């Protein structure tokens, strides 16, 4: 399958795969797509540098990208300990009481609570950019709009392309005016931070708005070859996929995997909810007893980014370690209903391409 995206990024297939796992991202690149590593989980710039060094050595010389989170407006800054003092006691009490009610045990003795994700802080995202610019990444993407002008300029100076996610046509126009090279039209169905317009409506709107100027990728609700063909029909030149890789063999994150994998494999397309409880911004998550607790009468309103993640960071660790599939705090899109088996990344991509090719052939026969 050939579109204008291939020559632009130096890839064989018009599939861009986002993942917080370097093993998944590298496997996507090796299979002919563009693996994009999500950087927000890295509080330590040196750790990110080490992981990108691993990517350099394990992508067989094929291109890869990085994804940072730089809000358009600067969020509250400060160290985790300073920001923690801004969290109301009532919110902390609610979290602890909810964990007790859900039967979630404390962390084992001697287990330190992990640091909250600080990658949403502008200063930390800046460190991610500095590290990324020192590696041969082909693409730098920003999940919350265009990066600052100086970041775009420096990326271009290094020969890197810049992508930004958009949930409205007006956002896409602004991204292009600010120098973005690729716009990702991400629909309501998507996992993680997402907007309010469905992919079927959004992609042609954005393709009509900016598609003559820059490539448009479709995101949200894409997990099979028929959906890739539909994205191309809507005016996209490729797809951006995230949720579909969560049930690949390469996606492993320690002791939490059995419960997480069970929850993902059992979920239907109705089993997600869009909520601010994960990060402080609207994000689509698995719907379960944890998310339902926040929707009950008397539950506090989620705090703004990054305070909400600081509030729930230890809770997330406990929920993941609990072994209970019905409480895991996991961003995922509505496509989770199709994620019914564990397969290698290369097999997933092969199936996507085969079905897309078959679909395009079938549609061509209708003429």
């Amino acid at each position: 399958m050939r579109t204008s995206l291939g020559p632009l990024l130096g890839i064989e297939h018009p599939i861009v795969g986002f993942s917080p796992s370097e093993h998944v991202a590298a496997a996507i690149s090796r299979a002919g797509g563009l693996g994009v590593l999500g950087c927000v989980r890295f509080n330590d710039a040196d750790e990110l540098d080490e992981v990108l060094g691993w990517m350099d050595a394990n992508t067989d010389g094929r291109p890869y990208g990085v994804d940072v989170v730089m809000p358009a407006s600067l969020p509250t800054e400060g160290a985790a300990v300073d920001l923690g003092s801004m969290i109301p006691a009532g919110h902390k009490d609610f979290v602890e009481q909810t964990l007790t009610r859900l039967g979630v045990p404390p962390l084992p003795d001697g287990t330190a609570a992990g640091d909250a994700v600080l990658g949403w802080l502008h200063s930390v995202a800046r460190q991610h950019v500095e590290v990324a610019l020192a590696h041969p990444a082909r693409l730098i993407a920003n999940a919350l709009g265009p990066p600052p002008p100086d970041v775009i300029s420096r990326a271009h100076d290094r020969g890197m392309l810049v992508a930004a996610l958009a949930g409205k046509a007006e956002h896409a126009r602004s991204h292009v005016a600010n120098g973005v090279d690729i716009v990702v039209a991400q629909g309501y169905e998507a996992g993680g931070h997402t907007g309010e317009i469905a992919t079927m409506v959004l992609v042609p709107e954005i393709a009509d708005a900016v598609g003559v100027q820059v490539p448009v990728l479709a995101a949200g609700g894409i997990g099979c070859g028929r959906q890739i063909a539909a994205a191309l029909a809507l005016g996209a030149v490729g797809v951006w996929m995230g949720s579909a890789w969560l049930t690949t063999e390469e996606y492993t994150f320690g002791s939490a995997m059995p419960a997480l994998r069970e929850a993902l494999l059992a979920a239907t397309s109705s089993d997600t909810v869009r909520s601010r409880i994960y990060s402080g911004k609207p994000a689509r998550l698995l719907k379960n007893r944890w998310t339902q607790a926040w929707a009950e009468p008397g539950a506090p309103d989620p705090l703004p980014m990054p305070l909400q993640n600081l509030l729930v960071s230890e809770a997330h660790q406990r929920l993941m370690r609990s072994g209970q599939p019905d409480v895991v705090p996991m961003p995922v899109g509505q496509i989770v209903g199709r994620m019914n088996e564990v397969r290698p990344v290369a097999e997933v991509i092969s199936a996507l391409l085969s079905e897309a090719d078959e679909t395009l052939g079938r549609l061509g026969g209708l003429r």
Side-chain angles (χ1 to χ4, degrees):
M1 193 189 315
R2 299 288 185 266
T3 74
S4 59
L5 190 67
L8 181 66
L9 293 175
I11 58 178
E12 295 176 45
H13 314 303
I15 297 172
V16 179
F18 163 85
S19 178
S21 164
E22 65 270 26
H23 299 282
V24 172
I28 294 168
S29 288
R30 291 195 303 268
L34 185 81
V36 176
L37 178 69
C39 297
V40 73
R41 71 180 176 91
F42 295 97
N43 292 345
D44 184 345
D46 289 338
E47 183 185 1
L48 175 59
D49 185 51
E50 181 179 345
V51 168
L52 290 183
W54 184 92
M55 291 279 292
D56 296 339
N58 288 276
T59 47
D60 294 346
R62 297 179 181 237
Y64 68 87
V66 296
D67 179 274
V68 298
V69 179
M70 301 187 82
S73 57
L74 299 186
T76 304
E77 289 284 344
V81 64
D82 300 322
L83 294 174
S85 66
M86 301 172 65
I87 298 174
H91 280 69
K92 296 178 182 178
D93 291 342
F94 171 80
V95 168
E96 190 57 43
Q97 291 165 10
T98 299
L99 292 172
T100 299
R101 180 160 55 89
L102 296 178
V104 177
L107 294 175
D109 290 342
T111 302
D115 292 334
V117 173
L118 299 179
W120 287 302
L121 291 175
H122 187 83
S123 58
V124 178
R126 279 273 177 182
Q127 295 175 28
H128 293 164
V129 169
E130 294 301 323
V131 171
L133 290 173
H135 289 266
R138 180 66 179 120
L139 178 79
I140 184 167
N142 188 25
L144 297 179
D150 67 297
V151 173
I152 295 175
S153 177
R154 293 178 62 201
H156 287 165
D157 289 344
R158 291 295 305 266
M160 295 170 65
L161 297 172
V162 178
L165 277 65
K168 295 181 179 180
E170 63 192 78
H171 296 164
R173 293 189 187 96
S174 175
H175 295 353
V176 174
N178 283 305
V180 164
D181 304 295
I182 297 172
V183 172
V184 181
Q186 179 176 271
Y188 175 79
E189 303 93 322
H193 297 120
T194 191
E196 299 177 342
I197 303 174
T199 302
M200 189 77 172
V201 174
L202 182 67
V203 174
E205 283 190 356
I206 288 184
D208 289 347
V210 301
V212 172
Q213 300 163 271
V214 299
V216 173
L217 304 183
I222 298 172
C224 72
R226 281 171 288 164
Q227 289 158 334
I228 292 177
L232 299 178
L234 293 173
V237 300
V239 295
W240 172 287
M241 299 171 58
S243 298
W245 317 109
L246 294 175
T247 51
T248 57
E249 288 183 359
E250 290 86 349
Y251 188 87
T252 57
F253 275 105
S255 60
M257 278 309 300
L260 172 59
R261 188 164 279 169
E262 181 178 341
L264 292 170
L265 293 174
T268 72
S269 57
S270 299
D271 293 327
T272 69
V273 62
R274 188 168 170 267
S275 170
R276 293 195 300 114
I277 69 170
Y278 192 81
S279 71
K281 287 186 175 291
R284 186 171 298 284
L285 316 168
L286 274 179
K287 181 168 60 178
N288 54 33
R289 293 195 296 147
W290 170 248
T291 62
Q292 289 165 358
W294 284 87
E296 292 174 357
D301 291 333
L303 300 170
M305 179 187 282
L307 298 181
Q308 179 66 18
N309 183 261
L310 287 169
L311 169 66
V312 298
S313 61
E314 182 177 339
H316 284 176
Q317 192 174 352
R318 289 170 60 181
L319 290 161
M320 281 293 196
R321 294 179 66 106
S322 72
Q324 302 177 44
D326 59 353
V327 298
V328 292
M330 189 65 196
V332 70
Q334 291 178 329
I335 197 62
V336 70
R338 300 190 63 88
M339 295 158 49
N340 301 317
E341 59 180 324
V342 177
R343 296 181 292 170
V345 165
E347 185 176 318
V348 172
I349 290 181
S350 178
L352 290 170
L353 295 170
S354 178
E355 187 179 46
D357 184 65
E358 178 185 345
T359 302
L360 293 171
R362 175 169 53 82
L363 293 175
L366 298 178
R367 298 181 63 184

